[in-house]
Amino acid sequence: MEKAQHAPGPYREQGDNTRSTLARYGLLLRLWGVMAGAALVMLSMKDLIGWSNGLFDYLKALSLSLLVPPALYGGIKQRGAFRPVRTVLIVAALFVAIEAIDMMFRFMYTGTVNWFADTPETLLLFLLTGPLMFLVATDIRQRDRTVRQLTYLAYHDSLTGLPNRQMFQETLGQSIEVAKQSQRKLSVMLIDLDRFKNVNETFGHTFGDQLLNEAAQRLQQGLHMGDVVARQGGDEFTLLIKDTALSDDAEKVAQKIMRLLSQPFSIEGHVLRVGCSIGIAMYPDDGDDSVTLMKNADTALYRAKDRGKNGYQLFQAEMNDTVIKKLVMEEWLNQALEHEEFVLHYQPQVDIFTSRLNGMEALIRWNHPSLGYISPGEFIPLAEETGLIIPIGEWVLRMACKQNKAWQAAGFPAVKMAVNISPIQFHQQDFIQVVLRALQDSGLEPQYLELEITEGIAMVHVDQVIQKLQELRNLGVHISMDDFGTGYSSLSYLKKFPINKLKIAQQFVRDITDDPDDAAIIRAIMAMAHSLKLNVIAEGVETEEQLSFLLDVKCREIQGYIYSKPIPAREFTSLLQRLSA
């Protein structure tokens, strides 16, 4: 397989023509200056000692000054092949040739030659200029090497040796100009390694660097001559495929890249797979300039990642509408926090054996001033992606604690308030302090707060999670595992987690009367919970048939529309009043 283009070749050279020409002239001028200066010194010394300088002396000095520097420069500028001895011999030969020509013309015009006066003069000039020329040559070569190194570093990634973002952008721009003239198509691909962050966190950055180097080598091997692979930064790479007449051509390349990067990586005795997500934009269909193509490829990449990673996605115009919508929604979320547009609704949690209210769950709602209520399913994922879930989650926790304390102060029975905790929020270093502040500000006792975590929280940095959960349990806060059964938690880990309750996911409850598999899953969860002495609550209970099944398997608590939908605080107060009566 031919290797991908590793350097921009003529594109980089075209961009540097002006700079290199000026630099070349500058070096020649320095050499000419040294040679001319030495020749003038020699002529002046002859005047000082009483020897006269004739026309041939000036012509010889001029010839040496004009011809020797280019010869010396040519030897110096040979990259990687500078041979000092050969260069010195060439320069010496020039001195001898010019001296011989000078003697010949002197003899033709005067009929005599003064070997004793002229030859030592030339030899002395050679000896005088030699050290100076050597110093200048050494300085020029060192400077030239430094410039090449700096240019390389400016346009290449220091880790992988691939072209970097700046070089890729310039190469892409040049390729687009060529494609315009030849009426050909090309495609740009953005590649993001899946699960690379986990590799860095687990094995360290040195290990991750080795993985990036091997991934870069595979990418180079997977492309044809003329195509360009570059590293954008982090775990992102870019590809320029110069001959893709059809979208199928680009898809075939993407599939090949996915196969290459899906193969196991063997590093320091560890074998692991990472896979990749790829976004593709094509010229001219998806943009006629480098900026637009890169932006659209990036948009396609995020769509590929949203669809579950380890796949590729061609750019489509409607994706920009989605991006714009997300940007608008993000700004609205910021305004919602500032303008207090969020509200909490509460859903009862009931003991079905006694019909007693055991607690309630606080559920956030967004009451947009012009759009009305917006579903949490629409804004919570965006809030997690942008990090806004952290201040939103703190607000929910604080308001839920205050409301529960307010109901207790009004004389209603004290019950637990359940609050969902985002994984991003939970893994913040100050999460314990956030919970403590919410309890202290509201005056709510810790035993009346229940935090609902997901299996996803529990399976990242297990030891730290256990420690944090144990601190909360020691404070008196209750812990429940939400949507149990939908994640990948290990039973060996589960028994170590200091949790009080399992919450059966709604997707299993929905079809328990019709789907034997869902019924079997719930029976297994109940048996496991009883053996581990954990409470169980089923959410999403809506029908009498579901309720009857849960009674049969001895699931004591439920939450769902069969009892009440989530309702605002005022309506929940009325519900509490009816229960008290």
Side-chain angles (χ1 to χ4, degrees):
M1 176 62 65
E2 295 173 307
K3 276 197 173 184
Q5 184 176 326
H6 187 242
Y11 296 130
R12 177 77 256 135
E13 291 174 8
Q14 291 172 12
D16 287 344
N17 274 345
T18 303
R19 289 192 296 270
S20 62
T21 300
L22 291 174
R24 182 166 63 250
Y25 288 152
L27 296 178
L28 276 172
L29 286 173
R30 289 181 63 190
L31 291 172
W32 271 321
V34 171
M35 191 65 204
L40 286 174
V41 168
M42 181 61 66
L43 294 174
S44 299
M45 288 175 61
K46 287 179 64 179
D47 286 335
L48 288 174
I49 63 177
W51 291 1
S52 61
N53 290 308
L55 175 63
F56 288 106
D57 295 310
Y58 289 111
L59 288 175
K60 183 170 66 173
L62 179 62
S63 299
L64 289 170
S65 299
L66 290 176
L67 298 178
V68 170
L72 185 59
Y73 177 80
I76 295 170
K77 293 298 289 182
Q78 293 182 26
R79 294 186 179 183
F82 178 51
R83 296 181 175 88
V85 174
R86 188 177 71 174
T87 303
V88 170
L89 289 176
I90 291 173
V91 172
L94 274 174
F95 270 84
V96 172
I98 292 172
E99 178 66 19
I101 293 171
D102 177 66
M103 292 294 181
M104 182 181 68
F105 277 103
R106 286 178 186 271
F107 182 76
M108 289 172 59
Y109 281 94
T110 65
T112 59
V113 175
N114 189 349
W115 292 93
F116 179 77
D118 294 332
T119 303
E121 174 189 336
T122 303
L123 181 61
L124 184 60
L125 180 61
F126 180 76
L127 295 175
L128 179 64
T129 58
L132 292 174
M133 286 291 191
F134 177 79
L135 291 174
V136 172
T138 303
D139 180 58
I140 289 173
R141 189 156 180 84
Q142 183 61 41
R143 285 173 179 267
D144 189 53
R145 186 183 296 111
T146 301
V147 168
R148 289 201 303 271
Q149 290 175 346
L150 291 176
T151 301
Y152 181 87
L153 292 174
Y155 289 98
H156 289 79
D157 174 54
S158 59
L159 175 64
T160 63
L162 293 176
N164 61 12
R165 181 197 302 259
Q166 182 176 352
M167 179 182 281
F168 186 84
Q169 288 283 6
E170 292 186 12
T171 305
L172 177 57
Q174 295 280 354
S175 299
I176 289 174
E177 292 301 320
V178 173
K180 283 181 181 178
Q181 297 172 7
S182 60
Q183 300 294 311
R184 304 183 73 176
K185 294 186 176 183
L186 57 83
S187 59
V188 173
M189 298 185 186
L190 248 64
I191 301 174
D192 184 84
L193 299 182
D194 297 333
R195 299 181 295 279
F196 180 75
K197 181 180 179 182
N198 294 340
V199 172
N200 261 350
E201 291 178 349
T202 305
F203 298 102
H205 290 282
T206 302
F207 187 98
D209 288 347
Q210 295 182 52
L211 191 149
L212 287 173
N213 265 318
E214 187 171 336
Q217 293 172 14
R218 293 187 187 184
L219 287 172
Q220 292 179 77
Q221 295 167 2
L223 300 181
H224 291 91
M225 183 66 68
D227 296 334
V228 180
V229 54
R231 184 184 177 207
Q232 284 287 98
D235 60 343
E236 278 195 0
F237 296 88
T238 49
L239 305 182
L240 170 58
I241 314 299
K242 295 183 180 178
D243 190 10
T244 47
L246 302 172
S247 59
D248 289 347
D249 299 329
E251 290 187 69
K252 289 177 183 177
V253 175
Q255 291 165 2
K256 183 177 183 181
I257 294 302
M258 288 181 59
R259 287 195 300 271
L260 286 171
L261 294 181
S262 296
Q263 296 299 315
F265 288 83
S266 181
I267 301 173
E268 295 182 0
H270 298 278
V271 178
L272 67 159
R273 300 174 187 263
V274 291
C276 66
S277 300
I278 304 175
I280 307 170
M282 299 189 66
Y283 168 86
D285 301 337
D286 302 327
D288 59 359
D289 62 84
S290 60
V291 175
T292 303
L293 280 174
M294 291 295 291
K295 178 178 72 69
N296 290 341
D298 191 52
T299 300
L301 171 63
Y302 276 99
R303 176 61 62 88
K305 293 167 72 174
D306 287 342
R307 293 175 61 182
K309 299 185 179 180
N310 198 29
Y312 66 87
Q313 177 66 56
L314 290 163
F315 174 77
Q316 297 171 355
E318 55 267 25
M319 292 180 185
N320 276 333
D321 297 335
T322 303
V323 172
I324 293 172
K325 182 180 177 182
K326 287 178 69 173
L327 291 173
V328 172
M329 184 75 78
E330 182 180 350
E331 179 57 28
W332 284 354
L333 277 173
N334 280 291
Q335 294 178 7
L337 274 171
E338 296 172 3
H339 301 158
E340 299 182 353
E341 296 172 8
F342 293 116
V343 295
L344 291 183
H345 286 193
Y346 304 89
Q347 189 171 33
Q349 297 176 335
V350 181
D351 186 322
I352 56 179
F353 289 97
T354 64
S355 297
R356 194 181 108 194
L357 182 72
N358 278 358
M360 74 285 287
E361 180 180 3
L363 299 164
I364 190 171
R365 296 292 185 266
W366 181 5
N367 188 12
H368 192 273
S370 58
L371 300 179
Y373 282 102
I374 299 176
S375 167
E378 292 188 42
F379 68 85
I380 291 298
L382 179 61
E384 291 183 328
E385 181 181 333
T386 59
L388 288 171
I389 194 65
I390 297 173
I392 291 175
E394 291 183 14
W395 178 87
V396 171
L397 188 61
R398 186 171 63 252
M399 296 305 295
C401 289
K402 286 183 177 180
Q403 184 60 67
N404 197 13
K405 184 63 178 178
W407 278 324
Q408 291 181 17
F412 296 113
V415 293
K416 293 189 296 295
M417 173 70 76
V419 178
N420 282 290
I421 302 299
S422 163
I424 297 173
Q425 183 184 7
F426 181 86
H427 287 297
Q428 295 299 304
Q429 291 185 349
D430 64 342
F431 177 69
I432 301 292
Q433 286 69 35
V434 170
V435 174
L436 284 172
R437 283 199 301 270
L439 292 170
Q440 292 168 358
D441 292 347
S442 64
L444 183 69
E445 296 178 36
Q447 65 265 32
Y448 298 118
L449 174 63
E450 181 174 280
L451 301 180
E452 295 187 357
I453 66 170
T454 63
E455 292 176 83
I457 290 177
M459 297 315 299
V460 178
H461 304 303
V462 176
D463 293 338
Q464 297 177 22
V465 170
I466 292 174
Q467 180 182 356
K468 193 172 289 188
L469 291 177
Q470 191 61 59
E471 288 185 46
L472 292 167
R473 280 290 301 273
N474 292 340
L475 292 172
V477 175
H478 289 252
I479 307 294
S480 68
M481 185 169 285
D482 194 15
D483 290 334
F484 184 74
T486 60
Y488 303 94
S489 58
S490 166
L491 296 182
S492 62
Y493 283 143
L494 182 60
K495 67 181 183 180
K496 299 178 183 178
F497 294 147
I499 60 177
N500 306 91
K501 185 188 294 183
L502 299 180
K503 195 169 189 178
I504 301 175
Q506 182 177 355
Q507 66 187 69
F508 299 127
V509 175
R510 185 182 300 115
D511 298 320
I512 52 175
T513 57
D514 301 319
D515 190 335
D517 292 335
D518 286 344
I521 289 173
I522 289 183
R523 287 194 180 95
I525 292 174
M526 291 304 305
M528 180 191 63
H530 289 155
S531 66
L532 294 175
K533 296 181 174 56
L534 296 174
N535 295 326
V536 180
I537 181 171
E539 63 177 337
V541 182
E542 298 178 355
T543 67
E544 292 292 340
E545 291 79 7
Q546 294 168 346
L547 182 62
S548 176
F549 179 92
L550 293 169
L551 281 168
D552 289 341
V553 297
K554 297 181 173 57
C555 178
R556 193 172 191 92
E557 286 188 76
I558 66 163
Q559 176 181 338
Y561 277 42
I562 192 171
Y563 192 88
S564 173
K565 65 179 182 179
I567 52 179
R570 182 177 298 177
E571 293 182 32
F572 201 90
T573 301
S574 300
L575 174 64
L576 291 174
Q577 289 171 344
R578 289 198 303 272
L579 291 174
S580 298

